[in-house]
Amino acid sequence: MFDVNRIREDFPILKEQVHGKPLVYLDNGATTQRPARVVERMSEYYLRYNANVHRGVHYLSNLCTDANERARERARDFIRAASVEEVIFTSGATGGINLVAFSFGEAFVREGDEILVTGMEHHSNIVPWQMLCERKGATLKVLPVLDNGELDMEALSHLLTGRTQLVAVAHVSNVLGTINPVRRVIDAAHAAGACVLVDGAQAVQHLPVDMQELDCDFYVFSAHKMYGPTGVGVLYGRRELLLQMPPWQGGGEMIKEVRFEKTTYNDLPFKFEAGTPDFIGIIGLGEAIDYLSSIGMENVAAHEEALTRHARERLSAIPGLRFHGSSPHASSVISFTLDGVHPLDAATLLDQLGIAIRAGQMCAAPLMQRCGVTAMIRASLAMYNTFQEIDALHDGLLRVVAMLREKR
Ligand code: PMP
């Protein structure tokens, strides 16, 4: 049985106070907190077992190498990839997208080709594609977002052309919360001969994902948004494509044999992992996956769904509050604006009450423009949040509205 109070015990930070008030942490879309066991596992490796991976023949090096590869197997299982060859460790979602933009771009994108992104992407899933288009003389196209925060799926068939090489789409929007119909995007793209990169940065911590069922070509996510450490992430890539793609960075570990005349590259996934990886971070990610799996993604999803329903219901009663994104297919990311209140002012006042939320552009400036605002307030919920915390946000927002509207 899912017991949120039991889960909260695993996260020491949730007992902290901020400005003398109990911390209400609702900025999980930016980064989640870590359970003690993730930090303890990492500190155990730092303090007792540390040695570089894949290099030594000595005891500690082998120990760390094995732990690193066990984490890869856990990540493979977590996303149901067919093989560990398809699981590449990166520095995060951004690192994974840049790797694909460079390497896939080198192999497959030519002048006059097209890359299709959507109007709700995070800057990380826009700028690397713009840079690729600039390098190659390709064109960036944009799949529009409808007023309810869903993708304009009717426009998709017109936007996909014989020149489209890749479609980049968020699984879950970091602003609107929309869970996109990525399977439909993937099928349409494949039918048009294009590959698909799915940005799962806001998805893997909320929903079960299955690479074989999804049939995407690339999928990226960050450990720090799923109860793991910062600086680590995963790129899933389809084996046949990865084999055809050149390495992104050169260095140790990604080579088989180095000669001044010619160097040969390592097998997958190591071909894409130049240099010493953050192996202790990777071990921490493995621990976070074990933790999530022990709770069960279905249980996480059910709790967060109930919490989100409660939050939307309560917040909708606040006068002048306008949600951005109203798709029924949405996760626990809730963005809104308050008439007559600047989001940054609201965030500053909520902070004084111990409530951490995000305010600003949420790294999605084009989407802000589409919604006709310069900034929003975002509450992003995680499995350890409670109904009482939602009520605290509601009460806090009422105080914010009363104070800030009075002043005008
Ligand atoms: N994509 C989405 C949808 C995100 O929400 C984020 C983080 N806010 C990223 C990509 C980038 O993740 P990171 O900074 O961990 O690389």
Side-chain angles (χ1 to χ4, degrees):
M1 272 306 285
F2 186 91
D3 177 355
V4 70
N5 291 320
R6 219 349 260 102
I7 284 170
R8 290 178 73 81
E9 289 296 315
D10 298 332
F11 293 82
I13 202 170
L14 299 178
K15 293 201 178 77
E16 291 291 322
Q17 299 218 328
V18 169
H19 304 304
K21 310 275 186 333
L23 170 66
V24 175
Y25 187 77
L26 302 176
D27 193 17
N28 297 287
T31 196
T32 57
Q33 303 302 340
R34 288 103 189 119
R37 63 183 263 187
V38 166
V39 181
E40 282 160 12
R41 174 69 73 215
M42 291 171 67
S43 88
E44 184 187 17
Y45 271 84
Y46 273 122
L47 297 176
R48 298 187 57 196
Y49 306 129
N50 176 58
N52 208 339
V53 290
H54 297 136
R55 288 164 200 217
V57 285
H58 59 83
Y59 178 80
L60 290 180
S61 174
N62 288 334
L63 200 82
C64 285
T65 303
D66 288 350
N68 190 83
E69 294 312 308
R70 275 200 307 278
R72 197 187 306 276
E73 169 54 27
R74 286 190 176 105
R76 183 208 64 73
D77 183 54
F78 184 64
I79 59 171
R80 300 280 183 259
S83 152
V84 284
E85 290 181 307
E86 301 183 314
V87 177
I88 296 159
F89 288 122
T90 64
S91 59
T94 305
I97 296 168
N98 277 278
L99 190 162
V100 176
F102 179 84
S103 176
F104 178 89
E106 281 307 295
F108 297 111
V109 179
R110 308 272 171 273
E111 192 174 343
D113 282 345
E114 293 164 6
I115 305 288
L116 180 61
V117 300
T118 87
M120 65 169 81
E121 298 308 311
H122 187 279
H123 294 163
S124 300
N125 207 20
I126 300 174
V127 183
W129 305 116
Q130 280 178 323
M131 291 162 66
L132 168 63
C133 288
E134 265 175 38
R135 278 200 308 274
K136 296 290 178 179
T139 306
L140 191 79
K141 290 179 139 188
V142 184
L143 179 65
V145 178
L146 300 171
D147 287 343
N148 68 355
E150 294 184 352
L151 292 176
D152 184 351
M153 293 299 285
E154 275 181 26
L156 182 60
S157 49
H158 314 302
L159 284 165
L160 285 167
T161 72
R163 301 301 315 247
T164 314
Q165 293 299 342
L166 185 130
V167 180
V169 57
H171 195 167
V172 174
S173 161
N174 69 311
V175 177
L176 307 165
T178 316
I179 302 171
N180 286 318
V182 280
R183 182 61 217 240
R184 280 172 58 203
V185 175
I186 291 161
D187 287 346
H190 284 173
C195 291
V196 180
L197 176 138
V198 179
D199 174 358
Q202 298 291 343
V204 289
Q205 64 280 54
H206 300 301
L207 334 156
V209 297
D210 185 326
M211 293 304 109
Q212 295 174 75
E213 200 182 288
L214 211 52
D215 198 30
C216 59
D217 302 288
F218 304 102
Y219 195 99
V220 297
F221 57 93
S222 296
H224 72 95
K225 293 182 197 286
M226 50 173 291
Y227 312 102
T230 48
V232 179
V234 169
L235 161 66
Y236 160 83
R238 190 192 291 283
R239 186 170 180 278
E240 305 89 87
L241 281 171
L242 294 177
L243 287 172
Q244 296 173 64
M245 287 160 48
W248 179 32
Q249 294 179 320
E253 215 47 58
M254 50 74 72
I255 46 85
K256 211 168 239 171
E257 223 182 338
V258 179
R259 297 276 176 275
F260 282 119
E261 300 72 35
K262 177 155 180 65
T263 286
T264 51
Y265 303 129
N266 207 340
D267 297 328
L268 293 176
F270 308 109
K271 178 171 111 177
F272 292 104
E273 293 181 355
T276 299
D278 183 355
F279 57 92
I280 292 188
I282 289 167
I283 292 166
L285 168 61
E287 192 68 22
I289 290 175
D290 273 359
Y291 179 72
L292 265 171
S293 305
S294 74
I295 293 161
M297 290 311 297
E298 285 79 8
N299 295 327
V300 170
H303 173 70
E304 290 178 349
E305 206 181 307
L307 212 56
T308 305
R309 209 175 314 119
H310 180 67
R312 285 196 177 263
E313 238 169 68
R314 293 234 61 195
L315 298 191
S316 64
I318 294 174
L321 185 144
R322 186 158 60 98
F323 289 116
H324 297 280
S326 58
S327 169
H329 309 289
S331 82
S332 56
V333 175
I334 303 168
S335 293
F336 54 91
T337 40
L338 292 164
D339 280 351
V341 176
H342 194 282
L344 291 174
D345 293 339
T348 308
L349 283 178
L350 287 173
D351 177 55
Q352 291 301 311
L353 303 173
I355 303 172
I357 50 96
R358 178 91 186 260
Q361 295 196 338
M362 263 75 81
C363 296
L367 180 61
M368 295 296 123
Q369 242 179 347
R370 165 69 181 86
C371 296
V373 297
T374 51
M376 293 181 190
I377 303 167
R378 179 184 75 182
S380 48
L381 319 178
M383 64 168 156
Y384 43 60
N385 287 127
T386 63
F387 287 77
Q388 293 91 315
E389 287 181 313
I390 301 300
D391 296 341
L393 172 66
H394 168 267
D395 298 350
L397 284 169
L398 281 183
R399 284 178 68 173
V400 165
V401 166
M403 271 182 77
L404 293 179
R405 288 212 188 118
E406 243 167 46
K407 278 206 182 137
R408 296 176 86 234

